[in-house]
Amino acid sequence: MLGDEHIVTKSAAKQIAEHIRTAILEGRLKSEERLPTEDELAARFGVSRPTVREALKRLAAHNLISSRRGPSGGTFVNSLGLEDLAENVTSAATLLVTVGGLDMDEIADARCQLEGLCCRMAVARMDEHILASLRETLARQRDPGLSDEEFCATDVQFHRIVVDATRNTMLRLVMYALIEALVPITNMVIVYVRDRTTIIGHHERMLAAMEQRDAELACLHLRSLIDYLGASYVAAREQRDRRLGKG
């Protein structure tokens, strides 16, 4: 249930959207449940229909609700999977990096700690299907004909397989923000200074350690990869500064 809560005039649409969003995330509004009509919501929150409509647009933009036509139509709560939630987290992380709200050293440290945990959990739960997926991704990554975008996609896929192998939904959600958003951003910056062979080599050593069920060795190779990416990021920024006459 939504509950009754009067909304102040200032930023009313935003407040209504947040109120409904909270109800969805807390489970008070269930998946596939129909929301009250615009008139009912306007009366409940003490606002106009256009304000309610704006609030619903905000929720729809985040894929939390959708409208259906017909006699049994209306506005319904979407069935959200991990991919949908991760997309919102990823968008927020991308924005923070873009506006300078996240420092790359912080990102590297967080990734090392969290993905290291994922490596340990993945090794403990490793099976041939996971190993086969990692080998297949590496095989694609070795293709010299891959574009930069395609190479980045295989990079993301390799680390995503490791994260998915934890079978821990909360970790996967958090790590998707790091991997899906930040790996492409880092790659975009370092594309002209990185060496594909070096990155592939780190992945190969990580995979070999996982095949041996050696979690600590896998984490060591992950740390080496992240250190290499960090050094490449610094080199790329220095190159850019020299090109712009800042150095």
Side-chain angles (χ1 to χ4, degrees):
M1 296 292 293
L2 273 174
D4 296 320
E5 181 173 319
H6 186 70
I7 298 297
V8 298
T9 302
K10 184 180 179 180
S11 302
K14 181 179 179 181
Q15 291 181 71
I16 294 169
E18 289 175 350
H19 188 71
I20 296 174
R21 178 180 179 276
T22 299
I24 293 171
L25 296 180
E26 291 180 352
R28 289 182 283 116
L29 280 174
K30 306 295 184 183
S31 174
E32 299 300 321
E33 183 174 344
R34 179 166 26 195
L35 293 179
T37 66
E38 289 183 3
D39 284 334
E40 291 169 337
L41 287 171
R44 177 169 296 181
F45 292 115
V47 298
S48 66
R49 281 187 64 188
T51 299
V52 169
R53 199 169 296 125
E54 175 61 27
L56 297 179
K57 286 180 180 179
R58 288 171 178 259
L59 294 167
H62 289 282
N63 202 32
L64 290 171
I65 63 171
S66 58
S67 298
R68 302 174 192 169
R69 296 182 178 179
S72 60
T75 303
F76 294 82
V77 177
N78 284 341
S79 297
L80 292 178
L82 178 63
E83 299 283 346
D84 302 299
L85 294 172
E87 183 177 346
N88 289 332
V89 176
T90 298
S91 297
T94 302
L95 179 61
L96 279 172
V97 173
T98 302
V99 300
L102 283 175
D103 181 83
M104 292 307 294
D105 288 338
E106 291 179 319
I107 294 168
D109 186 50
R111 182 180 176 189
C112 188
Q113 297 297 327
L114 291 172
E115 195 170 349
L117 173 61
C118 291
C119 276
R120 293 182 181 89
M121 293 177 66
V123 168
R125 301 171 184 183
M126 190 63 62
D127 58 34
E128 279 305 314
H129 174 72
I130 297 169
L131 290 172
S133 296
L134 289 169
R135 293 180 190 121
E136 181 181 346
T137 301
L138 260 177
R140 290 200 303 273
Q141 194 169 55
R142 294 187 188 103
D143 180 358
L146 289 181
S147 66
D148 290 325
E149 291 78 10
E150 290 168 333
F151 184 84
C152 177
T154 62
D155 190 359
V156 170
Q157 181 64 19
F158 181 90
H159 293 278
R160 188 169 182 175
I161 292 169
V162 174
V163 171
D164 286 343
T166 67
R167 302 187 182 96
N168 184 296
T169 302
M170 191 66 238
L171 263 179
R172 291 169 65 201
L173 176 62
V174 172
M175 287 304 299
Y176 280 10
L178 279 169
I179 294 172
E180 304 287 332
L182 305 179
V183 170
I185 289 174
T186 303
N187 280 339
M188 181 175 64
V189 174
I190 70 173
V191 64
Y192 296 114
V193 298
R194 75 177 177 199
D195 177 60
R196 288 189 182 188
T197 303
T198 299
I199 293 175
I200 292 170
H202 285 298
H203 287 165
E204 289 173 335
R205 288 186 286 276
M206 283 181 65
L207 174 56
M210 291 178 190
E211 290 172 329
Q212 298 165 19
R213 304 300 195 272
D214 191 332
E216 294 309 313
L217 184 57
C219 290
L220 180 64
H221 293 313
L222 171 66
R223 173 78 261 185
S224 296
L225 169 61
I226 293 173
D227 286 345
Y228 171 74
L229 295 174
S232 298
Y233 184 86
V234 171
R237 295 300 293 267
E238 289 176 348
Q239 276 192 14
R240 187 202 65 175
D241 289 345
R242 284 196 297 271
R243 190 168 60 251
L244 297 176
K246 296 181 179 181

